[in-house]
C-alpha cells in the first residue's frame, strides 16, 4: 500500500537529497511516487510467470513490512533478467506540486548546460529502412501480420548530464502519461514518459490502455486536425491497432469474468504524438491474481513486438542488430496483495555520466512505407531530445553525419 501524500515542506526537504542514481520514481495520474530507503535489490528471471511472482512475493514478505512495495523493470527479452527495488519508504506527492518544486530546484542548482558533441545512430536510416523491406517479405509470405522495429541512438556530451534536470523537464513538458526513473544495477538511469498503460490492477478490477497507430503533432491547428482525422481513417493504422487488441483479448479473457473492449479506437495525445487508443476494462475471476502474472503474459504485446509473437520475436534482434535491454520492456510497481500498475518502456533513454542512449520504434505492417516509419521514430525521440534540451543540435549533427556519409 502506497503512503499518504507528502506535504509541500517535506517535498522541498526531499528534493535536496533526491538522487536519480538511488531513488526510483513513478508518476501516474495526479500522483508521483518516489522511493527513499531501499530494503533490498534483486534480479530475477522472467521466462516463467509463476516463478517471477513467487520471487517478488517472497522478497516483499521477507521484509516483514506491511507497506513494502516492489518497484521494477522487466526487459524486452524473456531470456534476460528483471531488476527490482523493494522498499517500505515511499513518498507520495501531488505530481504538479512535485514537478514545480523539482523544476525550480534544478534551475537553481543547474550547472552549465551540457553541450551535445556527437550523435551516433546504432541503426542509421539506411539500416532501418532496409530492415523494414526485409520484414515485408515475411508479410508477403504470410508469416507475419505485424512486427515492431526499433532503433537506438547514442548522444555524447561535453560533461555529465544533469539527470535531475532531465527528469524535471520530462515532468513539466508532459503533464499526462506515466513518468519513470529507475536506477539500474549497471549504474545507468532509465528515464522516460510512457503514454501506454499495460495493466493496472486493484482487487477484482483491471484496466489497460494499448496504443498502436501514430502520427506526429504539429503547431498548425488546421494541419493538426487533418492529421488526427487521417489517423482515425487510416486502414493501415486501424489494422495495426486491431492486431494488438486481438492478442490482448486472447491473453486476458481466460482470467476475467467480464472484459470490455470498445469496437472503435479513440485518440490519445502526448506532447509530440497522436495515437490510436483503446481502454480495456475487466473484472477478474480471482481478485488474488497477481498483476505480474498477467502483465508478464501480456508482455511483449504486438504493440512492442509483433504478431504472431512467436514469429516476430526472434526476427527482431536479427533485423535490428542490437539487444533492446529494457526498451520496450515494462516498468512499474506491485504490493504484497498483487495490486499495482505497469507501463511499457517507451519514449525513454538511458543516462550514464556524459552519455545518453535514446530508443524509438514503429509498428510495421504490409502497407508500411520505410521512410515514413523512420520519420515516425525520429518524431518519437523528440520527447527525450526536448528533455535533454538538444533537439535542434541533434538535427544539426544528424544532417552533418548524413552528408558526410553521402560524400564518402
Amino acid at each position: 500500500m502506497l503512503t499518504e501524500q507528502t506535504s509541500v515542506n517535506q517535498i522541498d526537504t526531499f528534493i535536496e537529497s533526491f538522487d536519480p542514481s538511488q531513488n526510483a520514481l513513478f508518476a501516474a495520474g495526479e500522483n508521483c511516487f518516489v522511493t527513499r530507503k531501499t530494503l533490498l535489490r534483486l534480479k530475477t528471471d522472467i521466462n516463467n510467470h509463476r516463478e517471477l511472482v513467487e520471487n517478488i512475493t517472497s522478497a516483499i514478505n521477507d521484509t516483514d513490512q506491511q507497506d513494502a512495495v516492489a518497484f521494477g523493470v522487466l526487459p524486452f527479452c524473456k531470456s534476460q533478467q528483471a531488476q527490482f527495488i523493494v522498499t517500505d519508504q515511499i513518498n507520495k506527492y501531488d505530481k504538479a506540486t512535485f514537478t514545480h518544486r523539482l523544476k525550480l530546484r534544478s534551475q537553481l542548482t543547474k550547472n552549465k548546460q551540457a553541450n551535445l558533441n556527437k550523435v551516433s545512430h546504432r541503426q542509421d536510416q539506411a539500416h532501418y529502412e532496409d530492415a523494414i523491406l526485409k520484414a515485408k517479405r515475411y508479410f508477403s509470405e504470410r508469416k507475419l501480420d505485424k512486427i515492431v522495429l526499433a532503433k537506438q541512438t547514442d548522444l555524447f556530451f561535453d560533461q555529465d548530464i544533469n539527470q535531475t534536470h532531465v527528469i524535471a523537464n520530462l515532468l513539466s513538458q508532459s503533464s499526462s502519461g506515466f513518468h519513470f526513473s529507475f536506477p539500474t544495477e549497471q549504474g545507468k538511469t532509465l528515464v522516460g514518459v510512457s503514454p501506454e498503460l499495460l495493466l493496472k490492477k486493484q482487487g477484482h478490477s483491471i484496466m489497460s490502455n494499448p496504443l498502436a497507430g501514430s502520427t506526429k503533432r504539429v503547431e498548425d491547428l488546421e494541419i493538426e486536425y487533418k492529421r488526427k482525422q487521417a489517423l482515425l481513417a487510416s486502414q493501415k493504422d486501424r489494422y495495426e491497432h486491431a492486431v494488438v487488441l486481438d492478442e490482448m483479448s486472447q491473453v486476458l479473457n481466460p482470467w476475467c469474468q467480464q472484459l470490455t473492449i470498445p469496437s472503435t479506437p479513440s485518440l490519445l495525445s502526448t506532447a509530440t504524438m497522436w495515437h490510436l487508443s483503446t481502454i480495456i476494462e475487466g473484472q477478474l475471476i480471482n481478485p488474488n491474481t497477481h498483476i505480474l502474472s498477467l502483465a508478464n503474459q501480456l508482455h511483449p504485446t504486438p504493440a512492442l513486438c509483433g504478431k504472431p509473437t512467436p514469429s516476430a520475436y526472434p526476427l527482431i534482434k536479427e533485423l535490428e542488430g542490437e539487444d533492446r535491454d529494457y526498451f520496450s520492456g515494462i516498468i512499474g510497481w506491485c504490493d504484497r496483495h498483487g495490486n499495482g500498475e505497469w507501463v511499457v518502456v517507451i519514449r525513454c533513454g538511458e543516462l550514464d555520466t556524459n552519455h545518453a542512449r535514446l530508443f524509438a520504434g514503429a509498428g510495421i505492417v504490409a502497407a508500411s512505407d520505410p521512410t515514413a516509419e523512420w520519420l515516425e521514430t525520429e518524431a518519437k525521440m523528440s520527447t527525450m531530445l526536448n528533455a535533454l534540451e538538444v533537439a535542434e543540435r541533434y538535427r544539426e549533427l544528424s544532417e552533418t553525419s548524413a552528408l558526410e556519409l553521402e560524400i564518402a
Side-chain angles (χ1 to χ4, degrees), residues 74-112:
L74 276 61
F76 170 75
C77 182
K78 294 283 189 176
S79 64
Q80 296 178 333
Q81 290 187 312
Q83 294 189 30
F84 284 86
I85 293 174
V86 179
T87 178
D88 66 336
Q89 295 186 19
I90 301 170
N91 283 4
K92 175 183 176 182
Y93 306 104
D94 171 73
K95 186 164 71 172
T97 303
F98 182 83
T99 300
H100 174 73
R101 292 293 201 278
L102 189 64
K103 185 75 172 177
L104 179 62
R105 185 59 57 85
S106 69
Q107 291 172 342
L108 291 174
T109 61
K110 185 176 69 169
N111 298 323
K112 179 179 177 290

Side-chain angles (χ1 to χ4, degrees), residues 104-338:
L104 179 62
R105 185 59 57 85
S106 69
Q107 291 172 342
L108 291 174
T109 61
K110 185 176 69 169
N111 298 323
K112 179 179 177 290
Q113 181 65 29
N115 296 309
L116 178 60
N117 284 343
K118 180 183 177 181
V119 173
S120 177
H121 294 284
R122 300 180 73 83
Q123 297 96 348
D124 61 17
Q125 185 170 357
H127 176 124
Y128 190 76
E129 292 187 8
D130 182 62
I132 293 174
L133 292 175
K134 289 178 179 176
K136 293 183 77 169
R137 297 172 190 165
Y138 291 90
F139 298 132
S140 61
E141 296 170 3
R142 299 187 180 278
K143 294 180 179 179
L144 281 179
D145 296 318
K146 174 185 176 179
I147 190 170
V148 178
L149 294 178
K151 67 177 187 183
Q152 304 177 25
T153 303
D154 287 324
L155 307 183
F156 298 92
F157 296 79
D158 65 349
Q159 62 179 321
D160 288 356
I161 299 165
N162 186 325
Q163 296 186 11
T164 301
H165 188 66
V166 174
I167 294 168
N169 282 342
L170 284 170
L171 284 162
S172 59
Q173 77 182 23
S174 304
S175 57
S176 61
F178 303 87
H179 301 78
F180 56 85
S181 173
F182 189 92
T184 69
E185 290 191 355
Q186 290 80 11
K188 301 175 183 179
T189 305
L190 179 67
V191 301
V193 51
S194 175
E196 187 165 356
L197 172 67
L198 178 72
L199 193 67
K200 180 178 181 179
K201 174 190 175 284
Q202 181 64 43
H204 278 284
S205 301
I206 60 169
M207 183 173 72
S208 179
N209 186 195
L211 309 177
S214 309
T215 191
K216 182 180 179 182
R217 298 196 68 173
V218 294
E219 294 183 2
D220 187 296
L221 295 179
E222 184 176 348
I223 297 176
E224 175 98 326
Y225 175 78
K226 290 180 179 179
R227 288 195 172 196
K228 289 164 58 180
Q229 296 308 305
L231 179 59
L232 281 171
S234 167
Q235 291 186 353
K236 176 260 181 188
D237 290 291
R238 291 287 287 268
Y239 174 75
E240 182 184 339
H241 193 79
V243 165
V244 175
L245 295 182
D246 180 63
E247 182 75 14
M248 295 187 73
S249 173
Q250 290 183 42
V251 173
L252 292 175
N253 256 319
W255 297 86
C256 294
Q257 56 184 330
Q258 179 182 336
L259 189 68
T260 302
I261 304 178
S263 58
T264 304
S266 57
L267 289 176
L268 181 146
S269 66
T270 68
T272 58
M273 303 291 294
W274 282 100
H275 301 279
L276 291 181
S277 163
T278 296
I279 294 178
I280 299 173
E281 294 180 296
Q283 293 292 310
L284 293 171
I285 297 170
N286 181 359
N288 295 319
T289 300
H290 199 287
I291 187 170
L292 277 176
S293 180
L294 295 178
N296 198 35
Q297 289 184 64
L298 288 170
H299 167 62
T301 72
L304 282 303
C305 181
K307 186 178 180 182
T309 298
S311 300
Y313 189 77
L315 281 174
I316 286 175
K317 184 176 180 179
E318 175 186 330
L319 294 173
E320 293 179 1
E322 296 277 352
D323 281 323
R324 289 186 179 180
D325 293 326
Y326 294 108
F327 170 68
S328 66
I330 59 175
I331 192 166
W333 63 272
C334 57
D335 62 18
R336 64 171 59 250
H337 305 293

Side-chain angles (χ1 to χ4, degrees), residues 370-391:
T371 300
E373 301 297 349
W374 167 265
L375 293 175
E376 180 178 319
T377 62
E378 288 286 285
K380 288 176 176 176
M381 284 209 318
S382 296
T383 298
M384 283 301 303
L385 291 171
N386 290 336
L388 289 160
E389 300 179 1
V390 295

